[in-house]
Amino acid sequence: MDLKTFLFTDDGSIPNHPDYPALLYRGVFDDPSGMQETFAHNEWTNSWVNGVFDYHHYHSNTHEVLGVLNGEATLQLGGTNGDLVRVSAGDVLVLPAGTGHRRIETSADFQVVGAYPDGRDYDTLTGKTEERPENVKRIEQVEKPTYDPVFGTTGPLHEAWTKEETI
């Protein structure tokens, strides 16, 4: 597995997460058909199968995992100044609360499975001024998940998602 991390700052529209980077696990599934079951086993549920919206959006009340089941796509992470990321079947994106994401282009067969730690319900926000400051505060309060959606009690999420404690 190849791991990529992306840490984005608040761009004034899309807040992103102040502490946790987005994680891309490249090629972590040889057989993507088992993603949804793996996520559920690691307590990332409330899952769905579909695509990714073509407009910038984020979730203020939960983290999200996106596993690429079929095809490939270019996604933009982090808002209008964020990074373009190419994903393909077998890749997994772990997006901390607040991380902007949108679809730029996809193959005709592109499909992802999305899920949330502990089956949390999710909001869908688009960076409108009236979404602040309450949702920015909410993002900071979303707790680190107990389990990595792919590796459970081990894995990159546990290593990369640490907050520095201030005394």
Side-chain angles (χ1 to χ4, degrees), residues 93-116:
L93 273 169
V94 184
L95 303 175
T99 302
H101 51 292
R102 75 176 178 132
R103 176 187 80 232
I104 301 294
E105 66 173 358
T106 70
S107 61
D109 61 343
F110 179 68
Q111 200 173 41
V112 297
V113 58
Y116 308 89

Side-chain angles (χ1 to χ4, degrees), residues 66-146:
L66 298 175
V68 183
L69 288 172
N70 297 302
E72 55 187 20
T74 300
L75 305 177
Q76 186 172 28
L77 304 180
T80 56
N81 298 320
D83 292 344
L84 296 180
V85 178
R86 190 80 177 157
V87 294
S88 58
D91 292 348
V92 170
L93 273 169
V94 184
L95 303 175
T99 302
H101 51 292
R102 75 176 178 132
R103 176 187 80 232
I104 301 294
E105 66 173 358
T106 70
S107 61
D109 61 343
F110 179 68
Q111 200 173 41
V112 297
V113 58
Y116 308 89
D118 301 319
R120 290 187 186 169
D121 198 9
Y122 55 92
D123 56 10
T124 301
L125 304 171
T126 58
K128 295 177 183 167
T129 303
E130 60 267 21
E131 294 172 359
R132 295 171 170 266
E134 293 81 17
N135 290 325
V136 173
K137 290 177 189 170
R138 187 177 301 122
I139 288 163
E140 295 172 1
Q141 295 170 349
V142 176
E143 293 182 10
K144 176 182 170 182
T146 305

Side-chain angles (χ1 to χ4, degrees), residues 19 163-167:
D19 299 307
K163 289 186 180 183
E164 290 188 23
E165 299 295 325
T166 55
I167 297 175

